[in-house]
Amino acid sequence: MPELEINLDALAHNLRLVRHREQAWGFRFLPVLKMVASHPEIVAFLRRQGYGCHGIADMTEHLLYGQEPPARAGRVLINLAPPDRTDDVVRLFERSSFSCEATFRALDAAARAAGLHHEALLMVDIGDMREGIPQDEAPALLRAVAAASQRAARGPGAHVAGIGVNLGCLYGTCPDEENMARLETLAARAGDLLGHALHRVSLGGTIFWNWFARRHGHGPHLPPGCIMEFRMGDPLLLGWDMYRDQALLGGDFRQDIFRLTATVLEVAERDIRPPRQSVHNGRGLPADCPVLGKRLRALVDCGSLHTDVQGLTLPRADWRITDFSGNYAVLDVSACPQAPVTGDHVRFIPSYWAVARTCRMPHIRKTIVHDILPERSLPGTRPVAPHQGTTFLSEVS
């Protein structure tokens, strides 16, 4: 069974960089913990560092840890609220998102029935075409919910606290002068449409980070008192702009927050050749033998049931992942000067999706670690974006 290591020192380093940019650019950071399924150790770490709120993608993530969270304070549902579960939404979260009147009415009714104040964020589509009401339809929706939102400002109910947008996630749509100008125009009108001040404009997706950095933190002009929120996780957890496949600007972000460790179960030389007869393999794909002949191979206890194996990599040329199944990954170690033995540990750099899958496997151990050496063990390295058919590298620890 593999094990995921979470380096709190690397996490703290990235958080310091985020905090510096937060102060310099004038935004408020909402750490989105979708990548790590809101792991309790990371939530506790952020709270100790003064970040009492965090974004949650799946409203039932707490079930991974066996019990409901002790309080809804600081918990923000970043995905659209399901209208048939709004009673659970207002009970578990202090803020959620909506994009139609019916969902807002359901949130408002659930909050009033529970005697709770619930913040609602109107999601608006400004170009990535994933979620959100089309921008030209947003004014009518804001007018339609204005009375209920004003009432909730004085008591229980759903209060429209702001508008939110998302870019990058579906089609890689980038922020630019045009869509940011349209967002600025809507934000300027929203207060009059609602009959109360707009509290926040929430920008979702790390695709915004380098855009702001190149503009020295200058973004859309917002109404007085309106907060610009960065709703993202990659600057903290990944340390890389995976949208543009480039370094994050504004600091030397670390990309070694996570390591996935697996155990060598078997080392054997095999004469690799195509089978006489073959069908699809256990993954439902045509069988493939990329390298033929006698190869020294190591079998490790890490497969697609544990993580996204195609998202495991490390820049070392003499170790290669050549194949994998549900429970195993196969490493070609023929070029290694010193072959591993059964019981050795292999440490991988996992990609975003490899970490995300592993964090949703409650039976896989997650271990908090700290830097052992004063210098970074992998200067200048980063997770390589996985592609189908790519050979992936690993490192023996």
Side-chain angles (χ1 to χ4, degrees):
M1 187 76 64
E3 177 179 346
L4 184 69
E5 297 177 351
I6 305 170
N7 187 332
L8 281 192
D9 291 332
L11 197 66
H13 172 88
N14 284 356
L15 187 60
R16 284 192 294 272
L17 295 179
V18 168
R19 180 172 277 138
H20 290 157
R21 293 300 96 204
E22 191 176 21
Q23 295 167 354
W25 297 349
F27 66 88
R28 184 169 298 175
F29 183 59
L30 177 70
V32 171
L33 302 186
K34 176 168 63 174
M35 180 180 178
V36 293
S38 301
H39 192 279
E41 294 276 4
I42 295 180
V43 172
F45 166 79
L46 289 171
R47 289 186 182 274
R48 291 194 301 270
Q49 301 300 316
Y51 288 86
C53 295
H54 66 282
I56 298 169
D58 297 318
M59 59 180 294
T60 56
E61 277 180 357
H62 57 274
L63 298 178
L64 290 169
Y65 313 110
Q67 58 185 2
E68 288 198 1
R72 70 184 188 121
R75 291 167 49 83
V76 176
L77 181 63
I78 63 169
N79 284 358
L80 294 174
D84 60 336
R85 297 200 58 189
T86 50
D87 54 341
D88 290 327
V89 172
V90 300
R91 177 174 55 86
L92 293 170
F93 302 94
E94 66 177 24
R95 193 216 305 177
S96 65
S97 301
F98 73 100
S99 61
C100 68
E101 184 177 355
T103 299
F104 177 84
R105 299 292 183 196
L107 286 168
D108 185 51
R112 285 188 284 112
L116 296 170
H117 177 83
H118 185 76
E119 290 194 357
L121 193 73
L122 173 61
M123 294 301 295
V124 181
D125 178 16
I126 62 169
D128 204 47
M129 297 167 285
R130 191 181 73 170
E131 84 273 48
I133 188 170
Q135 189 163 345
D136 57 358
E137 298 177 20
L141 178 54
L142 289 171
R143 281 192 295 266
V145 301
S149 182
Q150 292 168 27
R151 184 187 62 242
R154 301 183 297 270
H159 177 71
V160 181
I163 56 179
V165 298
N166 182 83
L167 288 178
C169 289
L170 195 60
Y171 292 109
T173 307
C174 296
D176 57 30
E177 299 299 330
E178 181 178 341
N179 53 32
M180 289 294 96
R182 296 183 68 193
L183 176 61
E184 183 179 301
T185 300
L186 179 60
R189 293 186 60 196
D192 291 336
L193 295 166
L194 287 167
H196 61 74
L198 196 68
H199 183 56
R200 73 179 70 236
V201 169
S202 182
L203 308 178
T206 303
I207 201 165
F208 282 101
W209 186 275
N210 279 1
W211 185 82
F212 269 84
R214 292 190 175 96
R215 293 168 55 89
H216 306 289
H218 297 297
H221 296 287
L222 302 182
C226 184
I227 298 166
M228 181 170 64
E229 178 180 80
F230 276 20
R231 190 181 74 251
M232 56 187 68
D234 292 0
L236 178 68
L237 301 170
L238 193 63
W240 186 259
D241 182 351
M242 68 177 182
Y243 294 97
R244 300 178 179 87
D245 194 25
Q246 62 183 213
L248 288 172
L249 303 176
D252 181 22
F253 287 87
R254 292 181 60 166
Q255 298 100 47
D256 58 342
I257 291 92
F258 302 97
R259 289 291 180 271
L260 192 69
T261 302
T263 303
V264 176
L265 304 175
E266 173 188 287
V267 181
E269 187 178 68
R270 299 187 185 277
D271 192 0
I272 307 301
R273 61 186 64 190
R276 288 185 297 276
Q277 296 183 21
S278 67
V279 293
H280 287 179
N281 62 21
R283 305 201 308 275
L285 301 173
D288 182 30
C289 298
V291 181
L292 302 179
K294 290 186 177 181
R295 311 297 300 177
L296 185 63
R297 309 210 305 179
L299 200 69
V300 299
D301 61 346
C302 180
S304 57
L305 289 176
H306 310 117
T307 190
D308 176 11
V309 180
Q310 291 179 298
L312 301 180
T313 186
L314 198 67
R316 174 172 169 166
D318 55 356
W319 288 77
R320 298 178 182 273
I321 300 178
T322 59
D323 216 333
F324 62 93
S325 63
N327 293 97
Y328 303 127
V330 178
L331 279 62
D332 189 320
V333 297
S334 304
C336 181
Q338 183 176 356
V341 297
T342 300
D344 280 349
H345 292 138
V346 178
R347 301 180 70 221
F348 303 100
I349 302 173
S351 69
Y352 179 103
W353 294 112
V355 173
R357 183 179 298 182
T358 299
C359 282
R360 283 158 177 79
M361 302 290 176
H363 57 289
I364 295 180
R365 180 183 300 172
K366 288 84 178 175
T367 303
I368 300 299
V369 301
H370 297 272
D371 285 341
I372 299 175
L373 300 175
E375 70 275 6
R376 289 172 59 180
S377 58
L378 295 167
T381 65
R382 60 171 181 83
V384 176
H387 300 282
Q388 184 70 29
T390 301
T391 299
F392 297 92
L393 309 179
S394 60
E395 178 190 55
V396 77
S397 60

